[in-house]
Amino acid sequence: MTNVRRSVLAIYALYLAFASSAGQTFESKVEQLLHDEPENIKCFTETLRDLTCFWDEKEDRNSSFGQYAFTYQYQNENSSVCAVSVLGAAGKRLFLCRLSRIEFFVPLHLCVYQGGRELYNRSLSIDQVLLLDPPANVTVVRTRLQRQLNVTWLPPALKYMDDSMMYEVRYVVEGSPMRKEIVKDSTKLTLRGLQPNSKYKVWVRVKLDGISYNGYWSAWSDPVFGTTPPSDLDPLILVLVLIISLILILLSLTVLLSHHKFLLKKLWPDIPSPERKFPGLFTVYKGDFQEWLGHNNGSTWPVHMYTEELPAPLEVLSEASLAAPLPSHVSNPRPEATPRAAPYSREESDTMEEGEDQLETRGMDAGLHDRWQEPRHTHWLMEQLRALQEHPEALSQSSLLESQDTYVTLNQNSQHTREDEQGDDILEESLPLQALFASRGTSLSAASHSDLGSLQQSSGSGRLSSQSSFEYPNHTWSPNGPGYAYMAVADSGVSMDYSPMSSSRITDMGKGVTYTNEYKNDILEHRQPLSGQLIHSQY
Amino acid sequence: MSQTGHEERSKTVKRSAGLFALLLIVLEWTRPGLPSPLRPICDLRVLDHFIKQARDAEAAMRVCKEGCRIGVPLVVPLTRVDFGVWEKKNMEEQAREVQTGLWLLNKAISSLRTSISTSVLHSHIDASVRNIASIGQVLRSLSIQDYVPTDGGIDVQETWRVSSASELFQVHINFLRGKVRLLLANAPVCQPDS
């Protein structure tokens, strides 16, 4: 007997141990239902093979459990009695009853009688009071993706009800509020939007979905920990950042290299040193200028010599100071203009003719008075030139018209014919413009040497000519000093022609011809009669 | 000569092939018996939808007190399910049980139309009748043969009578939730390893 009792006790103890090691112990379920269920008779089924109903004793009565009677009746059946048992200590006792024969999908009526009187009653359907164990084997694993965790679990091993389960997953991380998610028809869940590199605590619980079966939420499963992988840089962002930084570096390098001199000057300006101009001053003579001067005298003078000409004084001589006149038929030749002017003169030949005519008439009318003021000058000049042209040796006599410049002389006689050979002088006198500016294409040749004959040749052509200048072997008035640069000024009344001449050429008189100035615009000069003085300078 | 013969032969072959195809088509049309089997409806969400509707109807009937009295008690099936007992039955027994119950329910709910005057309840009644018919279609799709119980074939043990509309609809929903669902959930056609 004692052995049997001992074995029974041992078995009971083992059973209790097993029950306690289950996901949720019976007591805890009772506790939970005590809290959740508002009905007086609280019932639940966990194994689908029995129904547990219990009620708590009233506080006021210290009653024994023998007073209670518990009856249950299925629809269309007779009522049955269930044995009442006690749970808990005095003062907090629970009376419970376990129904062994259970039927689903039928109404069940329960009644608790106390002392013959009905205390509680309840009508329920067992398929609506399911209280399951929490899910087992909850696992949390990392996924390939960032900020995610995979949670999986095993469903409760209930036949016919796998597709009626509903799960709730709860997870929390330090510093964040708890989050819950409902899962239906599946035993896995992917948690998204998690913090990287964090430890998450996950729970799962189960409940019937309420359509065909219903019940209470199970207890939370034991927490399972999972750590999210540390965040790594999005490769695309990394590549873009690298590319942009590379571009910026290249740009800055380019700017630096292209402006490096400028930047260097700004950042590290040169201190000017006179070493360049004074070679050896600082290195050899250590700044002793006197010594350095002594060694350097006569050799390269660092001071720049101006290669420009010294300002030359300008002497303006009038005709009045000129010497005795030459024969009257001297006409003033014109120095040769540049060959460039020759074609130009040809082009203007037609216009020149007209201009000449106009000028002649004008010269006749307007400048008559003015002309007569200095007819002697013009005549005299031309005569001088003429004489010189014909008799070059007589140049020594002439003290006038020794310039070799291009100049224009006009006289009043403008109505004479042009073809007269004899009247070449006259022609030239009378049609000075024409004569002076006429050429037959020999201007180029005339430019090369003094040729008064060209003047005669060209007289009648009515063309512009660039006439050569000629030199005078003698000249009466000499420059004031050696090395003076003279400027020959030919005043046509409109423009002044200046031509620099070197006074050093004075000695070269009679040898060669120098042609200095260019052929100016003669049209203007043609139109205007010579009103001013004809100024010559000799050299 | 041979060419024409060859051509003639090819022509006849083509013609006979065409006739053969035509024959097949005609036979397919006129094949006797059941029409081609429906695709099996294994998704229990269909039934869940019916159950939800039945729940609404039952809730509506529960509050109806006066206008929901029925004169003649209606025969309804038993809804209780004992898993041990149920598992022992084979597929055909279960199917017959379900179909008998559905037939009875259909008859009972349809007879309510004359008794109940409220239009709201009428909609529930019509929905329930429609759903029962749809469940019959679902069963047919699962290759469960139609079964119409004869009057003698109904086991009285498996029926009882209700005297109120709320009870009737309670039976209705319990029946759907229990036996019908068990049958559909365990249909061999829907099992993955069948």
Side-chain angles (χ1 to χ4, degrees):
Chain A
M1 194 59 173
T2 53
N3 288 339
V4 172
R5 276 193 82 168
R6 247 180 255 136
S7 60
V8 166
L9 278 171
I11 290 163
Y12 189 65
L14 277 169
Y15 168 76
L16 279 177
F18 274 120
S20 61
S21 67
Q24 189 179 11
T25 58
F26 178 77
E27 281 80 12
S28 59
K29 284 185 182 177
V30 167
E31 283 285 335
Q32 178 190 337
L33 226 58
L34 203 65
H35 186 261
D36 293 342
E37 179 65 67
E39 295 269 354
N40 290 322
I41 304 173
K42 305 170 206 306
C43 296
F44 67 93
T45 176
E46 55 178 342
T47 59
L48 303 183
R49 275 185 276 275
D50 57 8
L51 178 73
T52 307
C53 289
F54 60 92
W55 62 97
D56 53 355
E57 66 174 337
K58 282 202 188 295
E59 300 90 12
D60 55 348
R61 209 99 39 115
N62 192 8
S63 52
S64 67
F65 66 91
Q67 289 181 352
Y68 290 105
F70 185 83
T71 60
Y72 66 93
Q73 184 199 9
Y74 287 107
Q75 197 174 46
N76 303 324
E77 285 180 19
N78 299 327
S79 76
S80 309
V81 174
C82 175
V84 177
S85 54
V86 180
L87 200 67
K92 246 190 152 182
R93 284 194 295 184
L94 295 170
F95 301 97
L96 58 87
C97 179
R98 260 205 179 97
L99 276 70
S100 55
R101 186 173 62 88
I102 52 169
E103 286 174 4
F104 288 85
F105 308 110
V106 283
L108 177 65
H109 302 287
L110 302 167
C111 257
V112 175
Y113 293 95
Q114 188 185 27
R117 283 186 305 112
E118 188 179 291
L119 188 59
Y120 307 122
N121 68 2
R122 186 183 171 183
S123 189
L124 56 86
S125 190
I126 296 175
D127 51 280
Q128 306 291 307
V129 287
L130 289 156
L131 179 60
L132 307 173
D133 286 339
N137 264 15
V138 180
T139 53
V140 179
V141 291
R142 287 185 187 182
T143 60
R144 289 182 296 108
L145 302 171
Q146 285 288 312
R147 298 165 163 258
Q148 279 184 13
L149 285 174
N150 259 354
V151 186
T152 55
W153 58 90
L154 283 181
L158 290 173
K159 218 174 165 183
Y160 310 118
M161 293 175 198
D162 341 352
D163 48 357
S164 306
M165 303 287 187
M166 184 167 70
Y167 305 95
E168 190 178 13
V169 178
R170 178 174 78 170
Y171 56 99
V172 75
V173 73
E174 204 172 330
S176 291
M178 193 170 285
R179 285 158 72 172
K180 294 182 182 180
E181 283 196 37
I182 301 278
V183 183
K184 285 187 187 177
D185 298 335
S186 175
T187 59
K188 60 172 96 109
L189 174 70
T190 304
L191 303 175
R192 293 173 212 274
L194 305 178
Q195 295 173 15
N197 206 18
S198 315
K199 196 175 182 184
Y200 275 85
K201 204 170 172 184
V202 181
W203 297 266
V204 186
R205 68 177 180 181
V206 67
K207 181 179 177 287
L208 275 299
D209 61 358
I211 299 169
S212 188
Y213 300 93
N214 208 345
Y216 309 95
W217 278 110
S218 72
W220 290 106
S221 65
D222 290 333
V224 178
F225 292 93
T227 313
T228 47
S231 67
D232 56 323
L233 284 171
D234 196 4
L236 181 66
I237 290 170
L238 203 66
V239 166
L240 284 173
V241 165
L242 277 172
I243 287 170
I244 286 168
S245 56
L246 208 67
I247 288 167
L248 282 172
I249 286 169
L250 280 170
L251 271 173
S252 57
L253 270 174
T254 311
V255 166
L256 268 172
L257 284 171
S258 60
H259 297 308
H260 82 279
K261 284 195 185 120
F262 172 75
L263 286 171
L264 206 65
K265 235 198 296 181
K266 286 290 175 188
L267 290 172
W268 196 255
D270 281 336
I271 302 168
S273 160
E275 179 62 32
R276 260 195 318 144
K277 301 289 184 191
F278 303 93
L281 172 60
F282 296 106
T283 53
V284 178
Y285 301 98
K286 297 182 179 51
D288 194 345
F289 196 63
Q290 297 286 346
E291 277 192 32
W292 180 83
L293 266 182
H295 280 259
N296 263 353
N297 211 3
S299 62
T300 59
W301 184 247
V303 180
H304 284 280
M305 285 285 283
Y306 287 113
T307 54
E308 303 165 12
E309 288 178 12
L310 293 173
L314 176 67
E315 284 190 48
V316 177
L317 308 166
S318 67
E319 286 182 18
S321 62
L322 296 172
L326 286 174
S328 64
H329 293 302
V330 172
S331 64
N332 295 334
R334 289 186 63 80
E336 183 63 33
T338 58
R340 193 163 42 117
Y344 175 77
S345 68
R346 287 203 199 94
E347 287 165 13
E348 291 186 354
S349 62
D350 296 331
T351 55
M352 282 309 300
E353 284 184 358
E354 292 173 25
E356 283 169 354
D357 292 333
Q358 289 171 11
L359 191 63
E360 287 159 20
T361 50
R362 231 186 294 149
M364 270 298 290
D365 304 328
L368 206 59
H369 295 282
D370 293 335
R371 283 339 217 133
W372 282 112
Q373 284 175 8
E374 306 165 340
R376 237 181 343 128
H377 293 289
T378 55
H379 271 288
W380 175 74
L381 281 167
M382 291 188 70
E383 284 162 9
Q384 294 274 342
L385 284 168
R386 191 89 191 162
L388 283 167
Q389 184 182 8
E390 286 168 329
H391 310 286
E393 58 274 11
L395 284 176
S396 58
Q397 303 170 9
S398 130
S399 60
L400 186 64
L401 305 174
E402 290 174 359
S403 71
Q404 298 175 353
D405 302 326
T406 306
Y407 50 86
V408 178
T409 57
L410 300 172
N411 57 16
Q412 299 78 10
N413 302 330
S414 60
Q415 289 178 351
H416 301 297
T417 60
R418 306 175 187 182
E419 291 82 6
D420 192 0
E421 179 65 27
Q422 177 62 35
D424 271 350
D425 301 335
I426 299 167
L427 280 172
E428 284 174 341
E429 286 178 12
S430 62
L431 305 166
L433 289 169
Q434 186 180 5
L436 286 170
F437 296 104
S439 79
R440 264 189 220 147
T442 58
S443 58
L444 282 168
S445 59
S448 58
H449 55 275
S450 65
D451 193 7
L452 271 177
S454 69
L455 184 64
Q456 289 181 350
Q457 288 170 8
S458 61
S459 66
S461 64
R463 294 178 180 272
L464 284 172
S465 70
S466 55
Q467 297 176 356
S468 59
S469 65
F470 58 94
E471 2 182 280
Y472 294 94
N474 295 332
H475 54 93
T476 50
W477 41 273
S478 60
N480 291 338
Y484 273 67
Y486 280 83
M487 274 186 91
V489 178
D491 181 17
S492 65
V494 176
S495 63
M496 306 281 280
D497 288 335
Y498 297 93
S499 59
M501 286 197 306
S502 171
S503 59
S504 58
R505 300 300 303 267
I506 293 164
T507 56
D508 293 336
M509 292 287 284
K511 292 175 191 173
V513 179
T514 60
Y515 308 95
T516 51
N517 58 350
E518 18 175 39
Y519 196 72
K520 293 291 182 179
N521 190 355
D522 294 319
I523 295 174
L524 287 172
E525 293 161 5
H526 277 278
R527 286 195 186 143
Q528 294 282 341
L530 186 63
S531 55
Q533 283 185 344
L534 189 63
I535 299 165
H536 302 279
S537 67
Q538 294 178 338
Y539 62 95
Chain B
M1 282 290 280
S2 62
Q3 265 194 347
T4 51
H6 184 73
E7 284 173 10
E8 279 180 13
R9 230 178 292 129
S10 65
K11 273 187 192 169
T12 48
V13 163
K14 283 181 191 169
R15 214 176 292 147
S16 57
L19 281 173
F20 184 63
L22 186 63
L23 188 68
L24 280 176
I25 290 165
V26 167
L27 282 175
E28 183 63 35
W29 280 346
T30 58
R31 186 170 57 168
L34 290 173
S36 55
L38 303 166
R39 199 164 48 90
I41 300 169
C42 290
D43 195 351
L44 286 170
R45 284 180 290 184
V46 175
L47 184 61
D48 290 346
H49 178 66
F50 299 151
I51 290 168
K52 284 176 193 169
Q53 281 188 328
R55 192 165 55 190
D56 297 338
E58 196 250 331
M61 288 300 172
R62 214 183 311 137
V63 295
C64 164
K65 295 276 195 257
E66 287 303 318
C68 302
R69 282 272 164 212
I70 49 178
V72 180
L74 301 166
V75 180
V76 290
L78 289 175
T79 58
R80 63 162 181 233
V81 172
D82 191 338
F83 283 115
V85 173
W86 180 262
E87 280 166 10
K88 288 196 186 89
K89 292 180 189 173
N90 61 8
M91 187 66 186
E92 282 148 9
E93 281 185 57
Q94 292 171 358
R96 215 175 307 131
E97 208 171 311
V98 166
Q99 283 172 320
T100 308
L102 284 173
W103 183 84
L104 285 169
L105 281 169
N106 194 20
K107 207 169 96 170
I109 291 169
S110 306
S111 69
L112 269 184
R113 272 206 211 104
T114 55
S115 318
I116 293 173
S117 54
T118 323
S119 61
V120 173
L121 300 175
H122 269 262
S123 67
H124 285 293
I125 289 163
D126 293 336
S128 300
V129 170
R130 270 201 306 273
N131 293 345
I132 288 167
S134 303
I135 290 165
Q137 290 276 350
V138 172
L139 288 172
R140 240 174 271 130
S141 78
L142 300 176
S143 310
I144 295 168
Q145 299 282 345
D146 271 350
Y147 174 77
V148 179
T150 59
D151 277 338
I154 298 171
D155 190 0
V156 183
Q157 302 272 337
E158 297 293 322
T159 63
W160 62 294
R161 289 172 196 277
V162 291
S163 52
S164 69
S166 62
E167 270 185 328
L168 173 60
F169 277 94
Q170 202 177 48
V171 168
H172 174 232
I173 191 168
N174 282 334
F175 193 72
L176 290 180
R177 276 213 292 250
K179 289 182 180 176
V180 177
R181 197 171 206 277
L182 282 169
L183 182 68
L184 293 181
N186 299 297
V189 184
C190 297
Q191 300 300 324
D193 52 354
S194 68

